[in-house]
Amino acid sequence: MQNSLESVDEVDNLFDRLFPIMRSIMGNGYRESLNILKEYIPFNEHFYDSGTDVLNWRVPLEWNISEAYIENSKGQRIIDIKDSTLHVVNYSDPVDGYFSLTELKNHIYTIPTIKNAIPYTISYYKKRWGFCMTQELLDSLPEDSYHAVIKSSFEPGKLVVGECVLKGQSKKEILLSTYLCHPSMANNELSGPIVLAMLYNRIKNWKNRKYTYRFVITPETIGAISYLSDHGEELKKNLHAGFVLTCLGGNVPLRIKLSRRGNSPFDIISKEISSGSFDSAINNLPTNLRINSFDASSGSDERQYCSPGFNLPVSQVARLVYAEYKEYHNSLDTKELMGIENLFNSCNQIEAILKLEEEQKYYINRHPFGEVKLGDYDLYPSLNTNGYKDCDKSNSLKQQINSINNFVGKVMNYLNLADGTVSLHSMSKKLGCDSAEIEKITAILVEKDLISEDL
């Protein structure tokens, strides 16, 4: 039985367990974190050995670290990863040596514009060693001989991807994906996995779930690329829509980054929510929803899912989003900044979007090649003439013919749109119909076996 995440205290406890762990893309910290999350989502694990070619990348060696610190000549610790996992460059080479302040500065990383923040710095694919500290601390260091120690190791290992599938009535899938590889940061690291776990705990209890839901957690970039290397074609076949979850804390409105396609089901429904197309009284539906276009130069794993070879219908959902806040990728990205309550707000609003999509209906034209010969189905007038213009009964006859033509036009456009990608709600907007009229047309076309619901 999986643990619950229904209360603030339960979510707070999960956060506190995960936050101090030294995570990276591979290694003990990642596995420890994934094992904790498996208490909430029963992940199956996929393994990719170091040295394996995955698309245009190669799985690196596994990195583990036991100690990293700097001492002055008096043996006093200046920084220590026991105080912050951000104090060492992630994937840093080992070192044990004595350095002058000038020499040491070549291996120190700070944020000069945010003097009280420790930066998050990585070097996954180029060997180097280094430490991170606040600019305030670096400025205060006197000339001295400093002892720098990093006890790290690189060994062949396995990159691990967690995957869990909740079956629905349809083979069509909704993908919910996030990453787990950053050390001690809140919004940019833990908000995604925690909201993923919260959503799993809710969706598993939905009755009459239409879609199949696939929950995926990876080390960012290399993990998604590894997963796509052997699941990409499966996703291309079955995926209806997807969200990458990232940066879901902060007290700002929810933001949707559209998929590369720009017209995925989540793209469309998000635009319609933003425009006020749905009833604002729908429970937990996001207000002031922000919409951003797809951009391959920044973001998270939506860039991998939306790469042109896969071009999957995957959007990104976020709140206080990466480069838009000064605490991004540094030690100021704290639980207080993220806000546990904000995670509940994000979860509630994402769940509302998912439920709204569950309610949408999609239809398929059963005769999609060429126009349907509507006359054979009593849906097209048997007489096509402009002669009524000179008829004595022109007003009455015009009204009758205009009504028929209007109906026929809507039927023809309906059948043209019915390819399984346009929801009934969207179709009603495109055709200028209210819900009663679109349902009437749908019923007629179903009765005449011209369309079938796309499940």
Side-chain angles (χ1 to χ4, degrees):
M1 183 176 179
Q2 305 307 125
N3 289 348
S4 169
L5 285 173
E6 297 177 359
S7 71
V8 170
D9 286 345
E10 288 170 327
V11 174
D12 195 61
N13 177 62
L14 175 57
F15 178 93
D16 288 345
R17 293 174 66 193
L18 289 169
F19 188 77
I21 298 172
M22 172 61 86
R23 276 176 295 276
S24 192
I25 54 175
M26 295 169 66
N28 295 329
Y30 179 91
R31 283 189 291 270
E32 180 185 356
S33 301
L34 185 60
N35 284 335
I36 290 172
L37 286 166
K38 285 172 71 174
E39 298 173 18
Y40 301 86
I41 307 177
F43 287 120
N44 294 314
E45 294 179 344
H46 301 275
F47 301 100
Y48 304 87
D49 292 335
S50 295
T52 302
D53 289 330
V54 286
L55 305 181
N56 193 41
W57 293 59
R58 180 169 293 169
V59 178
L61 295 173
E62 180 174 305
W63 180 74
N64 287 298
I65 185 167
S66 59
E67 286 189 278
Y69 59 85
I70 299 174
E71 292 179 339
N72 63 20
S73 59
K74 297 178 180 179
Q76 297 169 327
R77 295 273 169 108
I78 305 301
I79 58 172
D80 192 325
I81 60 167
K82 292 177 182 177
D83 300 322
S84 172
T85 59
L86 298 178
H87 273 316
V88 69
V89 172
N90 207 282
Y91 255 65
S92 178
D93 271 359
V95 67
D96 188 343
Y98 291 84
F99 304 89
S100 69
L101 180 59
T102 300
E103 292 171 326
L104 187 64
K105 282 183 176 180
N106 292 325
H107 301 275
I108 298 295
Y109 299 86
T110 67
I111 308 176
T113 57
I114 311 176
K115 294 183 180 295
N116 63 334
I118 306 167
Y120 167 55
T121 307
I122 60 175
S123 186
Y124 296 146
Y125 304 106
K126 184 177 177 71
K127 293 178 73 63
R128 56 166 53 88
W129 66 269
F131 292 89
C132 303
M133 63 177 66
T134 66
Q135 185 66 46
E136 289 176 339
L137 177 57
L138 182 60
D139 291 343
S140 72
L141 293 181
E143 291 294 339
D144 199 355
S145 177
Y146 292 93
H147 186 198
V149 175
I150 298 174
K151 295 183 179 180
S152 61
S153 64
F154 294 85
E155 298 175 353
K158 295 180 183 296
L159 184 149
V160 187
V161 172
E163 177 195 60
C164 178
V165 176
L166 285 174
K167 294 289 187 181
Q169 298 169 7
S170 172
K171 291 182 179 179
K172 288 193 169 186
E173 294 187 359
I174 302 290
L175 172 70
L176 297 173
S177 177
T178 193
Y179 55 85
L180 183 71
C181 54
H182 299 62
S184 303
M185 289 174 288
N187 183 50
N188 183 54
E189 167 68 356
L190 293 180
S191 66
I194 289 175
V195 171
L196 186 78
M198 295 168 74
L199 286 168
Y200 173 83
N201 275 269
R202 295 185 184 190
I203 294 170
K204 72 177 182 181
N205 293 318
W206 288 358
K207 295 181 179 179
N208 302 316
R209 188 169 52 240
K210 179 165 78 172
Y211 293 111
T212 292
Y213 285 80
R214 185 186 295 239
F215 299 81
V216 173
I217 193 161
T218 77
E220 197 173 22
T221 305
I222 183 64
I225 286 170
S226 298
Y227 183 71
L228 283 166
S229 71
D230 61 2
H231 287 80
E233 293 304 315
E234 180 184 359
L235 289 173
K236 285 171 72 172
K237 179 181 178 181
N238 296 324
L239 195 61
H240 176 68
F243 272 143
V244 168
L245 312 181
T246 182
C247 295
L248 286 164
N251 189 23
V252 296
L254 207 67
R255 191 206 75 162
I256 303 296
K257 175 183 173 182
L258 303 178
S259 72
R260 180 177 181 271
R261 299 180 182 184
N263 64 349
S264 77
F266 285 161
D267 295 340
I268 293 169
I269 205 168
S270 297
K271 291 175 187 177
E272 292 179 346
I273 292 169
S274 180
S275 68
S277 176
F278 288 101
D279 185 353
S280 61
I282 295 175
N283 192 33
N284 291 323
L285 208 60
T287 56
N288 302 316
L289 183 65
R290 298 176 292 156
I291 305 292
N292 281 28
S293 298
F294 180 78
D295 179 359
S297 69
S298 65
S300 185
D301 285 331
E302 73 282 351
R303 296 179 298 173
Q304 315 314 326
Y305 295 118
C306 293
S307 55
F310 295 110
N311 198 26
L312 296 169
V314 177
S315 315
Q316 183 211 83
V317 57
R319 191 177 287 278
L320 188 63
V321 64
Y322 31 96
E324 294 180 6
Y325 67 106
K326 70 175 184 178
E327 298 86 356
Y328 173 67
H329 269 196
N330 66 63
S331 59
L332 302 183
D333 189 344
T334 63
K335 178 165 61 173
E336 291 70 30
L337 173 81
M338 178 190 74
I340 297 297
E341 289 286 357
N342 294 326
L343 300 190
F344 276 90
N345 291 336
S346 293
C347 183
N348 291 341
Q349 292 178 2
I350 295 168
E351 183 183 25
I353 294 172
L354 297 177
K355 284 185 173 180
L356 194 59
E357 183 59 31
E358 285 265 326
E359 295 171 0
Q360 303 309 303
K361 291 186 177 181
Y362 296 81
Y363 285 86
I364 292 283
N365 182 343
R366 294 175 61 84
H367 306 279
F369 299 101
E371 284 185 8
V372 173
K373 192 168 183 290
L374 294 178
D376 288 353
Y377 301 88
D378 296 324
L379 292 175
Y380 200 90
S382 59
L383 178 66
N384 191 339
T385 178
N386 287 329
Y388 74 87
K389 293 177 181 177
D390 301 319
C391 182
D392 291 338
K393 299 178 182 180
S394 60
N395 287 337
S396 173
L397 191 57
K398 281 181 182 179
Q399 290 174 358
Q400 182 181 357
I401 293 177
N402 284 340
S403 176
I404 292 171
N405 287 343
N406 181 264
F407 173 77
V408 170
K410 287 178 179 178
V411 166
M412 294 177 74
N413 279 306
Y414 186 119
L415 290 171
N416 185 266
L417 290 168
D419 62 356
T421 69
V422 182
S423 71
L424 218 53
H425 180 86
S426 294
M427 193 176 293
S428 70
K429 302 298 179 185
K430 290 177 182 291
L431 300 184
C433 301
D434 59 24
S435 58
E437 186 178 10
I438 201 72
E439 287 174 6
K440 178 181 177 181
I441 295 172
T442 300
I444 291 170
L445 296 180
V446 168
E447 180 184 2
K448 294 182 179 294
D449 202 29
L450 289 174
I451 60 172
S452 58
E453 188 171 358
D454 185 22
L455 297 174

